[in-house]
Amino acid sequence: MSGSLRPVRPTIAGTQTPPSPLSQAAPPVVFLILRDSQCSDCGAELEPGSFLRIEAEQPLCLSCAHLDDLEYLPAGDIALTRRTTKYSQRIAVVVRFSRSRGRYERQGILAETSAVERAERECSKDAAERAANRTAGAARRKVQDRTLITRMTERIGELFPGCPPPEASAIAAHTAVRGS
């Protein structure tokens, strides 16, 4: 065989293949600043807690960066953020530098006001359903955790026959904690 083999993506006649998420441009990054700064375009003073966009290594206020029509949506509500991102034609990711961790951390997004309002309406409509799903998920995870602890206690007993059962159970319970 000569040449290289490449996978072919089949398409239906008359349709376009949707763009890959990797081919989409990343949203612009806006910084939530921790110290005083100044816009390099208009000269506006930017106080700590203000938003700043860096373009061509120059700090810009939201007005000069043409992002002043976007509304800040803080992080915390996953459903609201996802829906807002889906409905907004323009978004920007807001980050702030964490001195203790030495890195930038996401604080929320800037999105169109109409998209935020639409997402809030949708979230309020299905809030009860999402709460019920969270409750059911928590109960399901609790049962799964108990089953895992039982299985781990048994396995520890098999691997270490001299280990007292209360200690094996304590080891299993500690090991099975989610997020540890």
Side-chain angles (χ1 to χ4, degrees):
M1 281 176 144
S2 65
S4 63
L5 298 176
R6 289 182 290 163
V8 176
R9 182 183 262 176
T11 59
I12 299 172
T15 63
Q16 294 181 350
T17 304
S20 163
L22 297 176
S23 67
Q24 294 175 356
V29 176
V30 172
F31 299 91
L32 188 60
I33 58 174
L34 300 173
R35 41 182 115 140
D36 291 332
S37 187
Q38 186 175 13
C39 176
S40 63
D41 201 21
C42 69
E45 293 293 323
L46 302 172
E47 298 176 0
S50 300
F51 297 113
L52 174 105
R53 168 93 170 115
I54 303 289
E55 289 183 10
E57 298 184 24
Q58 297 296 316
L60 297 175
C61 64
L62 289 186
S63 181
C64 293
H66 306 293
L67 298 172
D68 57 336
D69 59 327
L70 301 180
E71 179 181 336
Y72 177 59
L73 180 65
D77 188 338
I78 297 169
L80 181 60
T81 301
R82 285 182 182 162
R83 288 176 178 170
T84 300
T85 303
K86 180 171 75 171
Y87 297 133
S88 185
Q89 297 294 315
R90 299 173 47 226
I91 65 163
V93 175
V94 178
V95 297
R96 183 180 70 199
F97 188 74
S98 170
R99 293 178 183 156
S100 61
R101 293 189 177 102
R103 65 178 184 217
Y104 285 96
E105 296 178 339
R106 186 179 175 131
Q107 300 297 304
I109 62 171
L110 292 174
E112 295 169 337
T113 304
S114 61
V116 174
E117 291 169 353
R118 181 176 176 188
E120 285 174 340
R121 283 192 304 271
E122 281 189 15
C123 284
S124 65
K125 286 180 185 176
D126 69 351
E129 180 183 344
R130 287 185 292 116
N133 288 342
R134 278 193 304 275
T135 303
R140 184 180 63 251
R141 285 187 297 278
K142 195 171 189 175
V143 169
Q144 291 171 341
D145 290 348
R146 275 192 245 124
T147 304
L148 177 63
I149 291 170
T150 303
R151 289 178 44 219
M152 289 178 74
T153 302
E154 292 170 358
R155 187 68 178 142
I156 291 170
E158 292 170 6
L159 293 173
F160 304 99
C163 182
E167 192 172 329
S169 181
I171 292 168
H174 178 75
T175 305
V177 172
R178 289 183 187 260
S180 66

